[in-house]
Amino acid sequence: MARSAVKKIGRQDPVSRAFGDRVRLMREQADLTLDQISKLSGVSRAMLSKVERGEKSPTIGVAKRIAHALGTSFSALVGDETVARRAFALVRKDQRQVFRDAETGFERILLSPVMAGLPVEVVLHHLPPKASTGKLPPYPAGVTKHVVATRGRVTVGIDNVETVLEEGDTLYFEADVEHWFENRSARPAEYYLVISAAQALSR
């Protein structure tokens, strides 16, 4: 039994391990139990436990639900928000924060710096053929998303209403409802997201 457990730990993905450690740290800092986070996020306690131990890599939908339950942003949960706010911040290509869904191949690449209080995020999404982000939880009121389709065809679902974006199309919407992104074609799809919390912060 002991040898089996050691082997299991050895196969852990270091990215999943780091993500799990951060989830556990932020949960403990918030003085919340796994059961409380489960109720707030809608993610099962068993799944949360596996995520914290680094045994399970969550989908982007699950990761975002955990972030919202912890009262933080997805980028802050995945990355490091210890950089002090300043007027100048350079992000080199090899320093970009990348989240990859192991099940679908979906990639979320944060292009803007991870800084506390930054009201705007610029993100690049890669969606493989026939892949979907799954339904994403609503953001707080006032958060908006601007989508720019740059490759392939992207279907955007917003509160059960779907819009198909061709290359070069753009879409702006208020993100305080459940939404998702899907590639139903046989070609890879790519799109940029500008996520703004400026209106939410001004309320």
Side-chain angles (χ1 to χ4, degrees):
M1 291 295 291
R3 294 184 64 182
S4 176
V6 170
K7 288 182 181 180
K8 186 175 182 180
I9 292 173
R11 290 196 299 266
Q12 285 182 329
D13 174 17
V15 176
S16 299
R17 176 72 269 177
F19 180 80
D21 288 343
R22 191 157 179 81
V23 169
R24 185 180 68 256
L25 175 63
M26 296 186 77
R27 176 177 64 78
E28 291 174 350
Q29 289 176 339
D31 197 24
L32 293 170
T33 65
L34 281 173
D35 287 330
Q36 289 172 317
I37 292 295
S38 177
K39 290 178 181 178
L40 290 169
S41 65
V43 178
S44 72
R45 188 186 189 284
M47 169 64 80
L48 288 169
S49 181
K50 289 180 180 179
V51 167
E52 285 197 356
R53 294 197 301 269
E55 297 175 1
K56 180 72 175 178
S57 177
T59 64
I60 188 171
V62 169
K64 286 196 171 187
R65 291 181 187 279
I66 295 172
H68 288 188
L70 290 169
T72 189
S73 69
F74 175 82
S75 296
L77 182 60
V78 174
D80 187 355
E81 206 173 14
T82 60
V83 180
R85 188 185 303 183
R86 55 185 179 270
F88 180 87
L90 174 64
V91 181
R92 299 290 186 187
K93 183 177 180 179
D94 60 356
Q95 296 174 329
R96 291 175 177 174
Q97 178 197 100
V98 180
F99 175 89
R100 189 175 191 277
D101 188 326
E103 294 182 11
T104 65
F106 163 78
E107 284 188 348
R108 179 190 192 271
I109 304 169
L110 179 65
L111 304 179
S112 50
V114 180
M115 297 170 63
L118 194 67
V120 176
E121 286 185 346
V122 182
V123 181
L124 174 61
H125 282 183
H126 292 300
L127 265 179
K130 308 299 182 180
S132 171
T133 61
K135 291 191 175 181
L136 305 176
Y139 282 71
V143 176
T144 62
K145 288 190 175 184
H146 197 142
V147 189
V148 184
T150 55
R151 184 184 182 191
R153 177 181 297 167
V154 181
T155 298
V156 185
I158 306 169
D159 200 19
N160 294 318
V161 176
E162 295 187 343
T163 302
V164 178
L165 302 182
E166 303 288 350
E167 291 183 14
D169 290 347
T170 62
L171 174 67
Y172 172 87
F173 66 96
E174 295 182 350
D176 59 348
V177 294
E178 193 172 60
H179 55 282
W180 64 95
F181 302 89
E182 188 170 351
N183 178 10
R184 296 174 180 168
S185 73
R187 295 178 52 205
E190 177 184 277
Y191 55 96
Y192 287 86
L193 277 179
V194 179
I195 307 171
S196 175
Q199 294 183 41
L201 293 174
S202 65
R203 296 187 175 188

